Amino acid sequence: MKRVCVYAGSNPGNDPAYEKAAIQLGIKLAERGLELVYGGSSVGLMGRIANSVLNQEGGVIGVMPTGLFRGEVVHTGLTQLYEVNGMHERKAKMGELSDAFIALPGGYGTLEEVFEIVSWGQLGIHSKPVGLLNINGYYQPLVDMVNNGVEAGFIPAPQSKLLIVEDDPDILLDRLASYEPPKGVNKWSELPPI
């Protein structure tokens, strides 16, 4: 594991614990020599984690669509910035560059990114770990929804292990580093013909 993609809100949220967690995660990434891959913004939790890694002299790679340069303020102090054409290209590039994924608290965009990357894992498109940094129980409703999906027969039980949930950045990073994909995850080659 050399690079970790972090999905995070472009807002800081209304609980100071979210900003504190973003800063702590950035410090832990840099201490472990892990580069940050993220959405390239200088605002919200995105900006906090980028600045935290940079303040520790760590590497930060941003990926931002040209059209968002007006809505999100692009970070100008990054190690590297990829300018892409749209959101699909952004997410694909972030996925390509990363060895693991973590979601800090965030809104619709963060939730969409988490579900897309975990779906790719479910389908066997990648076998990279996906973690939720569950600050003050922020992701508990999502965890409950996944468990509900298992109970209702929509998510095979082994696939619920595709999301690693922790409230401590060190423990989460340790679990990502030792991750092995659960049994029962589909592979493209095993899918029936359409």
Side-chain angles (χ1 to χ4, degrees):
M1 191 167 77
K2 295 179 181 175
R3 291 180 179 160
V4 177
C5 176
V6 176
Y7 304 124
S10 57
N11 291 307
N14 57 16
D15 185 338
Y18 302 145
E19 288 186 74
K20 183 178 176 186
I23 292 166
Q24 286 178 330
L25 179 59
I27 290 168
K28 298 299 180 184
L29 289 171
E31 285 177 353
R32 292 173 182 238
L34 299 170
E35 285 187 294
L36 169 66
V37 176
Y38 86 119
S41 180
S42 64
V43 298
L45 295 187
M46 294 171 73
R48 300 309 189 279
I49 189 166
N51 288 336
S52 179
V53 174
L54 291 168
N55 288 341
Q56 301 297 314
E57 299 183 5
V60 180
I61 300 168
V63 183
M64 185 176 286
T66 304
L68 280 185
F69 280 21
R70 292 179 298 278
E72 289 181 9
V73 181
V74 69
H75 199 302
T76 57
L78 303 178
T79 308
Q80 188 170 7
L81 177 68
Y82 288 91
E83 184 178 335
V84 296
N85 292 320
M87 292 299 286
H88 293 296
E89 191 177 336
R90 179 193 218 182
K91 291 181 292 180
K93 188 67 173 175
M94 290 166 72
E96 171 193 323
L97 292 169
S98 304
D99 302 310
F101 305 87
I102 294 175
L104 284 166
Y108 287 131
T110 302
L111 294 172
E112 187 266 339
E113 288 166 327
V114 168
F115 276 117
E116 181 171 72
I117 205 67
V118 81
S119 294
W120 290 0
Q122 179 188 38
L123 293 170
I125 296 171
H126 71 78
S127 58
K128 301 171 185 180
V130 180
L132 302 176
L133 192 53
N134 194 22
I135 305 307
N136 288 348
Y138 182 81
Y139 279 114
Q140 194 55 51
L142 186 147
V143 172
D144 293 343
M145 188 66 214
V146 170
N147 291 334
N148 186 54
V150 171
E151 289 174 21
F154 290 103
I155 300 172
Q159 294 179 3
S160 68
K161 306 259 187 286
L162 289 168
L163 280 173
I164 300 167
V165 184
E166 290 292 344
D167 59 7
D168 180 280
D170 266 325
I171 295 171
L172 181 57
L173 287 169
D174 287 343
R175 289 188 64 195
L176 295 177
S178 64
Y179 174 78
E180 300 226 359
K183 304 267 189 252
V185 175
N186 293 323
K187 302 290 182 204
W188 281 109
S189 61
E190 297 170 5
L191 294 176
I194 296 174

